[in-house]
Amino acid sequence: MNNKILVSFLFVFVLCSVVCRADEATESASSGSSPSGQQLQGFNLNGYSNTGEKTWDINGTKADISDANIQITNVDANFYGKEQANLTADHGTIDKTNGNVNLKDNVVITSKDRGTQMTTDTLDYNRNKDLVTTQDPVKIVDDQGVVTGQGMTAHPNLRKTKINKHVKAVVNTNEKDDPDNQVITITSDGPMQMDQAKMYAVFIDHVIAVEASTGRELHSDKMEIWFNAATKHIKKAICTGNVKVIQGPDVSYADQMVYEGDTQVLTMTGRPKIVFDTGSTKGNGMFQPLGK
């Protein structure tokens, strides 16, 4: 699952810095008066690089500035360069003491280059810990599929994220225009962790993967998946703990299962050890037949 949208969380820190500059400018213009109760209408700021190139712009209906925080209504921020993104929220609050940011109501982060989009109800950014968190439902969408869950923690600079519980990933394993497009749905109690740099995801606790075209099911305690960086197809999957594969009336059990995407072979080890060819049934995903 391509989740480069997480990089754009870095821009929340930029948002903090930008609005704090607006606060300082307003205080200077007030000729020494208290900053309490100040308000900027039609809030708009632009940022430029040392070479004069525009790097960001932030807009809002208004910004209310108090001693403790800055509140922005209708946050709309654009970020340019290699990672072009747009961030919107109905409301944003910046703590002037520690620089932490809270966004709430219709929070959306969109990668302009890839169209990847993350939505949630609230988002908190802790500047000292460099963490973005929410306890609300999260949805991440891109060309490869959709990931949903409850609660999220991310290290934006490391391009990693964790969805806490009630995880569901609907993954397209073929090109989107392929008429035989295969869909695999993976659910788990959670947590689920993704590492964009390694093209890796791990699902934990009561994991179930279902191949849409065949109805095959794979159950395990833990499922690790590596994706091909170029094709985004599943490169390798390792399932461990109470592994069970259901194919129609047949059920196989093992301690571990390894799926190799290049050879399209499932190897089950434990008691008993089983290696089987799924070529008798159509499939293009994790359970796809040999030689197809």
Side-chain angles (χ1 to χ4, degrees):
M1 185 76 179
N2 185 354
N3 290 284
K4 290 184 178 179
I5 186 62
L6 298 175
V7 177
S8 59
F9 286 139
L10 283 171
F11 301 134
V12 180
F13 175 75
V14 177
L15 174 62
C16 171
S17 301
V18 171
V19 181
C20 284
R21 292 193 189 102
D23 179 31
E24 292 168 0
T26 305
E27 289 185 47
S28 297
S30 64
S31 300
S33 62
S34 171
S36 300
Q38 294 182 19
Q39 186 178 94
L40 299 176
Q41 296 287 345
F43 180 74
N44 175 267
L45 282 175
N46 299 310
Y48 298 87
S49 68
N50 293 332
T51 59
E53 296 177 327
K54 188 175 182 179
T55 55
W56 48 257
D57 61 61
I58 298 177
N59 304 281
T61 304
K62 63 179 180 178
D64 293 295
I65 304 169
S66 69
D67 290 333
N69 57 51
I70 304 169
Q71 297 184 5
I72 305 175
T73 303
N74 296 326
V75 180
D76 187 349
N78 295 290
F79 306 94
Y80 308 98
K82 293 182 179 180
E83 291 291 336
Q84 296 193 24
N86 173 260
L87 184 152
T88 59
D90 291 351
H91 305 284
T93 301
I94 300 169
D95 190 311
K96 294 170 65 177
T97 302
N98 55 31
N100 293 341
V101 180
N102 171 263
L103 300 172
K104 64 179 182 179
D105 300 328
N106 299 311
V107 181
V108 181
I109 300 177
T110 305
S111 168
K112 295 182 180 179
D113 294 333
R114 295 170 305 278
T116 307
Q117 189 172 83
M118 191 282 297
T119 58
T120 188
D121 294 329
T122 65
L123 188 70
D124 291 302
Y125 178 75
N126 186 302
R127 190 168 79 175
N128 290 332
K129 295 181 179 180
D130 192 29
L131 284 175
V132 287
T133 59
T134 182
Q135 298 303 316
D136 294 318
V138 174
K139 183 177 182 179
I140 301 173
V141 181
D142 67 11
D143 288 341
Q144 291 305 123
V146 181
V147 177
T148 58
Q150 181 81 30
M152 180 190 71
T153 300
H155 290 274
N157 59 333
L158 300 176
R159 301 185 181 185
K160 295 179 180 180
T161 188
K162 179 179 77 172
I163 296 180
N164 298 342
K165 57 185 180 180
H166 306 321
V167 180
K168 180 179 180 180
V170 181
V171 182
N172 302 313
T173 63
N174 283 14
E175 300 295 333
K176 62 180 180 179
D177 296 329
D178 192 325
D180 294 324
N181 188 34
Q182 179 60 274
V183 175
I184 294 175
T185 301
I186 306 172
T187 59
S188 74
D189 291 347
M192 177 267 229
Q193 298 184 50
M194 297 180 288
D195 187 325
Q196 175 206 333
K198 295 180 180 179
M199 295 297 291
Y200 168 82
V202 55
F203 298 79
I204 299 173
D205 198 7
H206 194 218
V207 185
I208 303 175
V210 180
E211 188 180 67
S213 66
T214 65
R216 295 190 188 99
E217 295 184 17
L218 191 155
H219 299 239
S220 64
D221 294 337
K222 178 180 179 181
M223 179 182 292
E224 300 174 90
I225 302 176
W226 289 262
F227 295 90
N228 185 299
T231 66
K232 309 303 186 296
H233 297 174
I234 294 174
K235 181 179 180 180
K236 185 176 183 177
I238 299 177
C239 300
T240 54
N242 298 303
V243 177
K244 178 171 65 174
V245 177
I246 302 173
Q247 302 185 80
D250 301 322
V251 181
S252 302
Y253 299 90
D255 295 328
Q256 184 183 77
M257 186 214 77
V258 178
Y259 169 75
E260 298 288 350
D262 292 338
T263 59
Q264 303 169 18
V265 170
L266 289 172
T267 303
M268 301 182 71
T269 59
R271 288 181 296 205
K273 176 180 178 179
I274 302 173
V275 179
F276 59 90
D277 180 355
T278 61
S280 60
T281 310
K282 178 182 176 182
N284 295 310
M286 186 180 294
F287 313 114
Q288 58 198 110
L290 289 168
K292 300 296 182 181

